[in-house]
Amino acid sequence: MSYHRCSLKSWHTFGINVYANNIVIATSTASLFYQCQKQDYQKDEPILLLGQGSNVLFLQDFNGKVLINRIKGISIVEKTNSWLLHVGAGENWHQLVKTTLDKGLGGLENLALIPGCVGSAPIQNIGAYDLELDQVCEYVDIIFLSNGEYRRLNTIECCFGYRDSIFKHLYKDPYAVIAVGLKLKKKWRPILTYGHLRYLNSKTVTPIKIFNAVCQMRRSKLPDPRTIGNAGSFFKNPLITSSVASDLFSRYPNISQYLQKDGQVKLSAAQLIDHCLLKGHHIGGAAVYGKQAIVLINTGSASSEDVVNLARIVRQRVAEKFNVWLEPEVCFISATGITDSVKVIT
């Protein structure tokens, strides 16, 4: 299915009215590759792959073709100690979580209600409530759009980090995630170390109970993009050294700090923004969400420029108060493709 000179407003959750030269829905690897081999690609027309557009901000009209990845399919293989899942990149992530729970498979419940498609999950190394994708990911299947070469990368090869992966660096050359392999252990252990999950009884809790609790927490503080345009958490939680954290804590003892395995300390971006009294602050049609400071919203008439200017102010205010520079978690898209978000708001 193909659309020409079409608005992208309904194809990304920020709901900003920008346009693309073409929008094509691909339901198979073959159709995805075929679209890239047409004359548009040979003319070096920019190509952008989108799942559900839940983590992007279009800065302007896109002067190229947008491919909507809708490669579907979920297969489950039982092993002695685990369940192995092979999931098409176009599957909805939250629906995948529900499907596994409906089949009695625990392990993804902490990642409930994360918007987007499965194919976006490894690029961002999605995470929530002390669980990140790399803890359950076995492999990622990709094809290069220039020649159709297929490659399977294991977890180590994906170079997962905090909201980071090899796909943001080495594989910036046009490629597409076509499937993700997941491993869910039969010996299920709950992760109850974050937020209200700490109040659940570890002896009686079930994956469904955790799923329901996570959904309740997320719905209580995050706006539904179907009614309020947004891209979820706009900024990454900053990582700082232990020495910087010690100095910061001496000045602001109420700031939450989370020690990481590598010795760095993670801070809550939402808390830092909140301490700057920025909830509700707005520029044009863009605003800091009143219930969760890490979310920037489109109140209905926001332009890309409104969002960028607001993000710049938030970043500057946090730096002035805490000497910590926030970085966008959202991917910025220019007229020709992904661009450096930090440079845009600097």
Side-chain angles (χ1 to χ4, degrees), residues 42 48 126 128-129 218 223 264 346:
Q42 302 303 325
L48 176 71
I126 60 171
Y129 301 102
R218 291 184 70 88
Q264 293 190 95
T346 297

Side-chain angles (χ1 to χ4, degrees), residues 315-327:
R315 185 172 188 260
Q316 186 65 41
R317 294 275 185 88
V318 169
E320 289 171 355
K321 188 174 182 69
F322 300 106
N323 197 29
V324 173
W325 291 94
L326 298 180
E327 296 184 4

Side-chain angles (χ1 to χ4, degrees), residues 2 11 38 50 83 110-111 124 149-150 169 171 175 251 253 262 289 297 316 338:
S2 178
W11 296 100
K38 294 177 71 174
L50 277 187
W83 300 91
N110 289 55
L111 302 179
Q124 191 73 1
E149 177 191 348
Y150 163 84
H169 305 285
Y171 291 120
Y175 72 93
R251 292 183 290 122
D262 61 2
Y289 190 50
I297 63 171
Q316 186 65 41
I338 297 172

Side-chain angles (χ1 to χ4, degrees), residues 53 76 85 117 131 138 180-181 183 219 321:
I76 302 174
L85 284 67
C117 287
L131 176 65
E138 281 285 282
V180 176
K183 181 178 181 179
R219 286 178 175 137
K321 188 174 182 69

